[in-house]
Amino acid sequence: MTQPAALGPAAEEFVERLGVALEFFGLSRTAGRILAYLIFHDGPASFDDLTTALKVSRGSVSTNTRHLERLGVIERRSKPGERGDYFALTPDSQARFLEAWFTRIADIESIIKDTLVSLDDGDPVARKRIGYTEEFYRYVHDRMTACVRDWDERAETRRRRS
């Protein structure tokens, strides 16, 4: 087994800062650090690469890689003649991550719509505020979906040129 290359200072800072920043989107800090590490790592990273470089347990890597796989931002790979699993970013993983986040926005939209249906007509102020909130989330969801669709088209054009 080869030891993973040590991260340089800029990469280490990126890994730590992105881990913290992605907590806002509902990821664990370790999941964010795994994503950041994979951006810097040349080729698929093994369990051992991740545990050593990030100084986390195999259990933590296992839990967080499974979660990232479910989100569609990383994929599990194998290497001929080797038994272990390797992990790599999926193509356009950033867009796939945002699509997963859209699910949370859609959940909020659903809650708001359900509330509007069941809200007593006797509270016009609450109805107006909730209606405004619904309009906002619908607008954000539509714009973000269009943005990712545009990005996917751009990425496909870039791949065809390569």
Side-chain angles (χ1 to χ4, degrees):
M1 177 180 81
T2 60
Q3 284 291 83
L7 296 175
E12 279 187 9
E13 183 172 347
F14 177 75
V15 166
E16 295 307 319
R17 290 180 69 194
L18 195 61
V20 171
L22 290 177
E23 285 180 305
F24 174 79
F25 292 97
L27 286 184
S28 71
R29 188 173 298 190
T30 299
R33 292 175 72 226
I34 289 170
L35 281 176
Y37 179 82
L38 291 174
I39 290 170
F40 274 93
H41 193 268
D42 184 24
S46 69
F47 263 91
D48 290 335
D49 292 338
L50 294 170
T51 59
T52 301
L54 302 176
K55 300 175 182 66
V56 295
S57 70
R58 288 183 64 82
S60 182
V61 168
S62 179
T63 298
N64 286 286
T65 54
R66 278 195 315 272
H67 180 65
L68 293 170
E69 282 181 283
R70 281 191 303 275
L71 293 176
V73 297
I74 69 169
E75 58 191 11
R76 191 176 301 253
R77 296 186 182 170
S78 61
K79 289 186 178 182
E82 295 190 28
R83 292 173 37 150
D85 290 325
Y86 292 80
F87 301 94
L89 296 172
T90 58
D92 292 319
S93 60
Q94 295 84 358
R96 301 300 70 84
F97 177 74
L98 284 180
E99 285 176 337
W101 194 53
F102 297 163
T103 302
R104 291 177 186 248
I105 292 174
D107 290 345
I108 293 169
E109 286 181 281
S110 178
I111 292 167
I112 293 167
K113 286 177 185 176
D114 290 349
T115 302
L116 280 172
V117 167
S118 65
L119 190 62
D120 181 4
D121 285 335
D123 195 347
V125 174
R127 181 170 286 287
K128 182 177 178 180
R129 283 195 313 253
I130 291 173
Y132 176 83
T133 303
E134 177 195 26
E135 183 181 349
F136 171 78
Y137 277 97
R138 187 175 353 102
Y139 174 80
V140 168
H141 186 258
D142 291 347
R143 298 299 301 154
M144 290 174 71
T145 301
C147 181
V148 169
R149 186 178 51 247
D150 291 348
W151 175 258
D152 285 343
E153 290 171 9
R154 180 180 179 161
E156 183 57 34
T157 300
R158 186 176 357 103
R159 277 192 285 277
R160 282 193 302 255
R161 287 187 201 149
S162 306

